Amino acid sequence: MVTQLPRHNIGAICSQVSFDKVTHAVHLLNIQNVFQTPTLPATLSQFVVANQWTNSQGTFVQQLEIYTPSGEMLAERKNQFTITSNPPLSCHWCIDSFSMMLTLKETGIYYVTISIGRPNEPLESVCNIPFECRLVQVSHH
């Protein structure tokens, strides 16, 4: 039985994810696409990328790459997950948590590139989530 690759529904950058054990709802806390810092380099204490996949069954590989504004790869993460639900419409969340790992050294637009595929097959890029790093003036009173 051949099933298509899962559909990518939501991709978000946030600081935390909480799961409701009763309703199984996922709450993305502090979704952000702009990081403001007074100085560079800046280390992000909580950086979570949450992706929701639906409409498929089977085992898949999700790859996540974060690129700097100048095009260098800043971080990479690969996970494997299995969707066993019937019907295959129900969603599966992939939560990648980078804590105390991401150091931003330049201002500008960074991209989180998300790819999906089957194990041992080429991955297909499904989306780019942009986020911006801005320098902000700290006011001294």
Side-chain angles (χ1 to χ4, degrees):
M1 169 174 155
V2 177
T3 58
Q4 77 275 30
L5 290 176
R7 196 178 70 192
H8 188 250
N9 279 4
I10 300 169
I13 295 166
C14 52
S15 62
Q16 215 180 331
V17 176
S18 75
F19 292 93
D20 187 313
K21 289 181 173 62
V22 179
T23 62
H24 300 289
V26 174
H27 302 284
L28 308 179
L29 308 176
N30 305 326
I31 292 181
Q32 49 195 346
N33 52 11
V34 175
F35 291 95
Q36 297 187 335
T37 175
T39 57
L40 288 174
T43 301
L44 302 179
S45 58
Q46 282 297 321
F47 186 91
V48 179
V49 181
N51 291 297
Q52 187 192 65
W53 302 96
T54 58
N55 291 50
S56 197
Q57 282 174 295
T59 297
F60 305 98
V61 174
Q62 169 185 285
Q63 181 170 304
L64 194 138
E65 296 163 324
I66 302 175
Y67 290 96
T68 66
S70 53
E72 291 174 49
M73 191 186 290
L74 181 64
E76 184 182 15
R77 188 66 63 82
K78 211 179 215 180
N79 334 335
Q80 194 163 295
F81 64 92
T82 302
I83 304 177
T84 56
S85 55
N86 241 333
L89 287 170
S90 72
C91 70
H92 177 91
W93 283 91
C94 267
I95 311 294
D96 287 285
S97 182
F98 298 84
S99 46
M100 303 307 290
M101 283 171 49
L102 283 189
T103 303
L104 308 183
K105 294 183 177 153
E106 54 186 312
T107 57
I109 307 285
Y110 289 72
Y111 281 97
V112 179
T113 302
I114 293 143
S115 305
I116 189 79
R118 295 193 166 282
N120 309 318
E121 287 182 18
L123 299 179
E124 204 175 289
S125 177
V126 290
C127 85
N128 284 310
I129 309 174
F131 70 94
E132 188 180 355
C133 177
R134 285 184 200 155
L135 282 177
V136 49
Q137 293 280 322
V138 177
S139 57
H140 297 285
H141 293 294

